[in-house]
Amino acid sequence: MIGIDWGSTGLRVFLIGAQGSVLQTRSSQQGALQLRGSDAYARVLRELAGDWLDYRDHRGRSLPLLASGMVGSQHGWRTAPYVACPSNAGELAQSLMPIDDTAPWICPGLIVQTPGLPPDVMRGEETQIVGALELHPELAAAACLILPGTHSKWVNVQHAQILDFATHMTGELFAVLSRHSVLGFLIPAEPEPVRLSMAAFDKGVDTARDHHHSGLSHQLFSVRTLGLTGAMSADSLADYLSGLLIGHELLAGLAWRSEAGLDAAPLVLIGATELCAMYRQALTRLAAPVPLVLHNTAPHGLWKLATQAGLINTSISLAGQS
Amino acid sequence: MIGIDWGSTGLRVFLIGAQGSVLQTRSSQQGALQLRGSDAYARVLRELAGDWLDYRDHRGRSLPLLASGMVGSQHGWRTAPYVACPSNAGELAQSLMPIDDTAPWICPGLIVQTPGLPPDVMRGEETQIVGALELHPELAAAACLILPGTHSKWVNVQHAQILDFATHMTGELFAVLSRHSVLGFLIPAEPEPVRLSMAAFDKGVDTARDHHHSGLSHQLFSVRTLGLTGAMSADSLADYLSGLLIGHELLAGLAWRSEAGLDAAPLVLIGATELCAMYRQALTRLAAPVPLVLHNTAPHGLWKLATQAGLINTSISLAGQS
């Protein structure tokens, strides 16, 4: 099959073989934020994976296509309405949204609506969660999953269900504050990747931990004052800011995890290697349990959902593998 | 005298008579962020108040000039190094920084350096505080002052000293999040002033209050989800965001006030009418004491500092009044 992870700012396509194994990966910067209208999506997908789209098996059948992420949002290729939590892979698979014969099926996002609380939503992460539970079935009984990123997700998994989740805007706060606020004045604009100043990152996490109640909006100003007074070098301020923001996310998230009754359940990080390393380091500063770290579980999730939805039959799966 | 309140984004000049009474006010958008070099500052000041600068009394003396705010920062007209807290009007007056005969004296900002905590700084607010204490001498014994704005300041006044203060980036967070983040996508760009949706503002404050421990970075995402699900109208989202941010500031600030031992001392809001009204409303939602509200105390502060520094003598003060 062809699995597609189409987020706001980028696109990854996976040629997936038997049992969800990834045979090939390609990526593009053409995220959903830049695209308008179904023609644009179809064109970008063809540019990136036209040869995969044209593949036919001995019965003349093309490969099944499944996409998840912002591609299913209001401004995406086609809207795939949110499925309400508690939910699971089976329910998501039943709710895949077709476009047409040549376009991918679209995986819906999830919404959680707890009485008395604002709703919360995800798109794309549900597929990573399904993939993580497929790769590690032992987590289905109970686990607290953390998917760090622009909009980090904390996920409460129990009894093979995604019961509840909470978003933290950590990555986006870092981006807008370092680019558009007074905090960015002192942060040098450097080409990424920059070398991480672990000491500054740790100091940010520790400051969040030790003076949590003074509030995030107060602590953020210390990025400026530490730079202004020369107490911290300009090169280190971005990492200190990361530490502050991730520290605050983890403190709130770990409290949420306790309330959810998940203190004894495994803690799992799912995401890019470097980002997971930062979260893992911060968890250590907070004396939290050592997490299991998983990278890119989206292809396994796409494969699992496609299988459960009956999009894949064995002969195609074997053809894809050859 | 001529008092000058020169901030990052704007400039106000006051023609000040006896006892600090304001005879005339003029303003300009030429803030310190837009200006580079002393010539630029001198030119802008002359454009706005050249006639005041040219005024001479019967002895041929020009009016004393005093400026406070970002005009004294590293990138200002001339750097006036921070004075360390605890401090007071007398100490600030002794530390006024001269430029030359025709330019204003510059009031330094304040810095607080508590061992084990990042430093905190202010520039301009110290003058408003001095003005507030001049207008309400009863506050000098003990008071908690709140100066809401881009960088809100909470100030601990005791024994006629500015003992300590804490900055919250509330106004700047509102600006960068509504302009540059995903939260802004759903917020209509409207010319200010827009009518305040008090219900949405209150809901933001209440959400901050009732679910404080879920964290600011989590709660911010509800601006998006409430808009996305239609649970709140697009017109109301900006006010809900204000309520969330101000609510979080007040919760952290009121805890800080308790730690400072100021629970029995007066609570004072100093700032623009509309902003103070929002903070006052939010304080009500948090069952906090009704604050005393003061507007624009900067001219009184400038006058007090100029008097204590000996820049003003009676004959000039009377001439300025005529």
Side-chain angles (χ1 to χ4, degrees):
Chain A
M1 71 170 288
I2 300 171
I4 304 165
D5 179 5
W6 209 324
S8 299
T9 57
L11 161 65
R12 284 185 306 173
V13 294
F14 311 102
L15 188 60
I16 301 176
Q19 305 306 319
S21 61
V22 176
L23 307 175
Q24 241 187 72
T25 301
R26 295 178 189 166
S27 65
S28 144
Q29 305 290 316
Q30 304 270 334
L33 280 182
Q34 293 164 258
L35 302 174
R36 278 286 170 276
S38 54
D39 288 353
Y41 283 93
R43 179 181 46 74
V44 168
L45 181 58
R46 176 150 286 282
E47 282 167 12
L48 191 61
D51 51 337
W52 300 356
L53 297 178
D54 292 337
Y55 178 86
R56 296 290 178 273
D57 71 3
H58 62 283
R59 295 191 203 165
R61 292 176 303 192
S62 56
L63 296 175
L65 287 157
L66 177 60
S68 70
M70 293 306 282
V71 66
S73 74
Q74 278 177 318
H75 302 290
W77 196 335
R78 175 164 180 186
T79 309
Y82 294 110
V83 168
C85 280
S87 189
N88 58 24
E91 226 176 82
L92 285 165
Q94 281 167 30
S95 310
L96 300 186
M97 179 69 61
I99 299 178
D100 62 44
D101 284 351
T102 63
W105 290 73
I106 306 225
C107 178
L110 289 177
I111 187 166
V112 60
Q113 292 178 295
T114 309
L117 284 178
D120 209 331
V121 295
M122 63 167 62
R123 273 201 191 275
E125 293 89 351
E126 75 294 325
T127 302
Q128 296 181 59
I129 297 165
V130 168
L133 299 180
E134 178 68 10
L135 286 164
H136 292 270
E138 74 280 10
L139 299 175
C144 178
L145 315 183
I146 312 172
L147 294 88
T150 306
H151 296 163
S152 293
K153 307 291 178 186
W154 286 65
V155 185
N156 173 355
V157 171
Q158 287 186 59
H159 316 300
Q161 299 267 333
I162 302 169
L163 276 192
D164 187 14
F165 60 88
T167 303
H168 295 259
M169 295 184 64
T170 307
E172 183 156 16
L173 280 171
F174 179 82
V176 298
L177 289 169
S178 54
R179 280 181 214 151
H180 299 291
S181 86
V182 73
L183 304 185
F185 292 177
L186 300 171
I187 296 178
E190 283 188 85
E192 299 202 36
V194 285
R195 199 171 54 82
L196 184 71
S197 158
M198 199 50 95
F201 178 77
D202 284 352
K203 190 173 155 90
V205 176
D206 293 355
T207 300
R209 177 193 64 200
D210 298 339
H211 311 289
H212 187 224
H213 295 293
S214 63
L216 177 59
S217 138
H218 167 61
Q219 294 198 333
L220 288 173
F221 195 63
S222 65
V223 176
R224 177 159 175 79
T225 58
L226 289 170
L228 208 59
T229 56
M232 189 175 282
S233 74
D235 284 345
S236 303
L237 294 175
D239 296 320
Y240 174 72
L241 173 58
S242 278
L244 274 183
L245 289 168
I246 291 174
H248 273 271
E249 175 187 332
L250 292 180
L251 287 162
L254 290 169
W256 179 87
R257 169 176 170 260
S258 291
E259 275 172 42
L262 292 171
D263 278 345
L267 190 60
V268 186
L269 276 169
I270 306 172
T273 311
E274 224 172 279
L275 199 54
C276 285
M278 290 167 79
Y279 272 70
R280 198 185 148 126
Q281 168 74 7
L283 283 166
T284 310
R285 309 295 296 181
L286 302 178
V290 176
L292 174 66
V293 179
L294 303 177
H295 306 300
N296 195 21
T297 58
H300 273 88
L302 288 160
W303 179 82
K304 168 77 173 176
L305 291 169
T307 307
Q308 288 222 217
L311 301 184
I312 296 177
N313 64 41
T314 315
S315 66
I316 290 180
S317 173
L318 290 174
Q321 208 184 189
S322 65
Chain B
M1 71 170 286
I2 300 170
I4 304 165
D5 179 5
W6 210 325
S8 298
T9 58
L11 161 65
R12 284 185 307 173
V13 294
F14 310 102
L15 189 61
I16 301 176
Q19 306 306 319
S21 62
V22 177
L23 307 175
Q24 238 186 308
T25 301
R26 294 177 189 167
S27 66
S28 144
Q29 304 290 317
Q30 303 270 334
L33 280 182
Q34 295 163 258
L35 303 174
R36 279 286 170 276
S38 55
D39 289 353
Y41 283 93
R43 178 179 49 73
V44 168
L45 181 59
R46 177 150 287 283
E47 281 167 11
L48 191 62
D51 51 339
W52 300 356
L53 298 177
D54 292 337
Y55 178 86
R56 296 291 178 274
D57 72 1
H58 62 283
R59 295 190 203 167
R61 293 177 301 194
S62 56
L63 296 175
L65 285 157
L66 178 59
S68 70
M70 293 305 283
V71 66
S73 74
Q74 278 175 319
H75 301 289
W77 195 335
R78 176 165 179 185
T79 309
Y82 294 110
V83 169
C85 282
S87 189
N88 57 23
E91 226 175 81
L92 285 165
Q94 281 168 30
S95 310
L96 300 185
M97 180 70 60
I99 299 178
D100 62 43
D101 285 352
T102 61
W105 290 73
I106 305 225
C107 179
L110 289 176
I111 188 166
V112 60
Q113 291 178 295
T114 310
L117 284 178
D120 210 331
V121 297
M122 64 167 64
R123 274 200 192 276
E125 293 90 352
E126 74 294 326
T127 302
Q128 296 181 60
I129 298 165
V130 168
L133 300 179
E134 178 68 9
L135 287 164
H136 292 270
E138 75 279 10
L139 299 175
C144 178
L145 314 183
I146 312 171
L147 295 90
T150 304
H151 297 162
S152 293
K153 306 292 180 186
W154 285 65
V155 186
N156 172 357
V157 170
Q158 288 186 59
H159 317 299
Q161 299 267 333
I162 301 170
L163 276 193
D164 187 15
F165 60 88
T167 302
H168 295 258
M169 295 184 64
T170 308
E172 182 156 17
L173 280 172
F174 179 83
V176 299
L177 289 170
S178 55
R179 279 181 215 152
H180 299 292
S181 86
V182 72
L183 305 186
F185 291 178
L186 300 172
I187 295 178
E190 283 187 84
E192 299 202 37
V194 283
R195 199 170 56 82
L196 183 71
S197 159
M198 199 50 95
F201 179 77
D202 284 352
K203 190 173 157 92
V205 176
D206 293 355
T207 300
R209 178 194 64 198
D210 297 340
H211 311 289
H212 187 224
H213 295 293
S214 64
L216 178 58
S217 139
H218 167 60
Q219 294 199 332
L220 288 172
F221 195 62
S222 64
V223 176
R224 176 157 177 81
T225 58
L226 289 170
L228 209 58
T229 56
M232 188 175 282
S233 74
D235 285 346
S236 303
L237 294 175
D239 297 320
Y240 174 72
L241 174 59
S242 278
L244 274 183
L245 289 167
I246 291 175
H248 273 271
E249 175 187 332
L250 291 179
L251 287 162
L254 290 169
W256 180 87
R257 168 178 171 257
S258 291
E259 275 172 41
L262 290 172
D263 278 342
L267 190 61
V268 186
L269 276 170
I270 306 173
T273 311
E274 221 171 281
L275 200 54
C276 285
M278 289 167 78
Y279 273 70
R280 197 185 149 127
Q281 167 74 7
L283 284 166
T284 310
R285 308 293 297 182
L286 302 177
V290 176
L292 173 67
V293 179
L294 303 176
H295 306 301
N296 195 18
T297 58
H300 273 88
L302 289 160
W303 179 81
K304 168 77 173 176
L305 291 169
T307 307
Q308 288 221 219
L311 302 184
I312 296 177
N313 65 40
T314 315
S315 65
I316 289 181
S317 174
L318 290 173
Q321 206 183 192
S322 64

